[in-house]
Amino acid sequence: MRISKKDWIFIAVIVAVFGTFYLISGEEKTTRVPLDDIHKPSYELFKKTQSKMEADKGCPACHYEPGGVPFPAKHPVKPKEGPSRCLFCHKLKLAGV
Ligand code: HEC
Ligand code: HEC
């Protein structure tokens, strides 16, 4: 069977819908950034800049491998594999962020 252009569009829509569900469900389950003394500077930086991307830049200072705070074996991304958007998945313990 040949897959027509229409079929590909249909497949793309399905994938997008499931991808969105996956992202939404991931967002709610992923561990939040602890609100402790270690992470306080990251919270302060976010409050000051109102930018998660700015706050993200500080995470790999401690969270890196090997030598830093290790990631779980199945962690989806690690700092050396690309830009660190930690807060995209690990939410801050703040309302509405
Ligand atoms: C694409 C989503 C995603 C991104 C981006 C991401 N993580 Fe994770 N992280 C997860 C998931 C999923 C887990 C495992 C399940 C959980 O902890 O909720 C996890 C687990 C962790 C854990 C262990 C948590 C525990 O409970 O033991 C740490 C620490 C961590 N991530 C730090 C980071 C840091 C630092 C960054 C940025 C460099 C980052 N993560 C970027 C999804 C992500
Ligand atoms: C000054 C070092 C440092 C910085 C900067 C830092 N972390 Fe951490 N992080 C730690 C240490 C140490 C732990 C393990 C002890 C703990 O849970 O507090 C940890 C634990 C975590 C955990 C797992 C919490 C749990 O419940 O198991 C997550 C998620 C996390 N950090 C995310 C982040 C994110 C996102 C950033 C950037 C906004 C960040 N951290 C910045 C040192 C740091």
Side-chain angles (χ1 to χ4, degrees):
M1 188 190 100
R2 253 196 95 237
I3 299 176
S4 73
K5 197 176 157 193
K6 248 191 194 157
D7 291 329
W8 277 119
I9 293 168
F10 183 65
I11 290 164
V13 169
I14 301 287
V15 169
V17 168
F18 278 98
T20 307
F21 278 135
Y22 177 76
L23 278 180
I24 292 168
S25 63
E27 239 173 48
E28 280 162 11
K29 278 187 254 126
T30 313
T31 340
R32 286 178 177 249
V33 181
L35 187 46
D36 54 14
D37 282 346
I38 305 171
H39 294 89
K40 225 190 215 148
S42 298
Y43 279 82
E44 298 294 323
L45 188 62
F46 173 74
K47 281 184 204 156
K48 210 175 83 192
T49 60
Q50 289 297 306
S51 160
K52 287 193 210 175
M53 283 170 98
E54 281 301 318
D56 269 333
K57 288 181 191 160
C59 316
C62 304
H63 292 272
Y64 63 93
E65 286 177 338
V69 182
F71 295 94
K74 286 198 183 138
H75 198 259
V77 281
K78 293 179 185 180
K80 62 174 177 230
E81 285 155 12
S84 305
R85 292 300 330 274
C86 314
L87 297 174
F88 186 75
C89 299
H90 298 280
K91 301 288 168 195
L92 295 170
K93 288 185 179 169
L94 297 171
V97 185

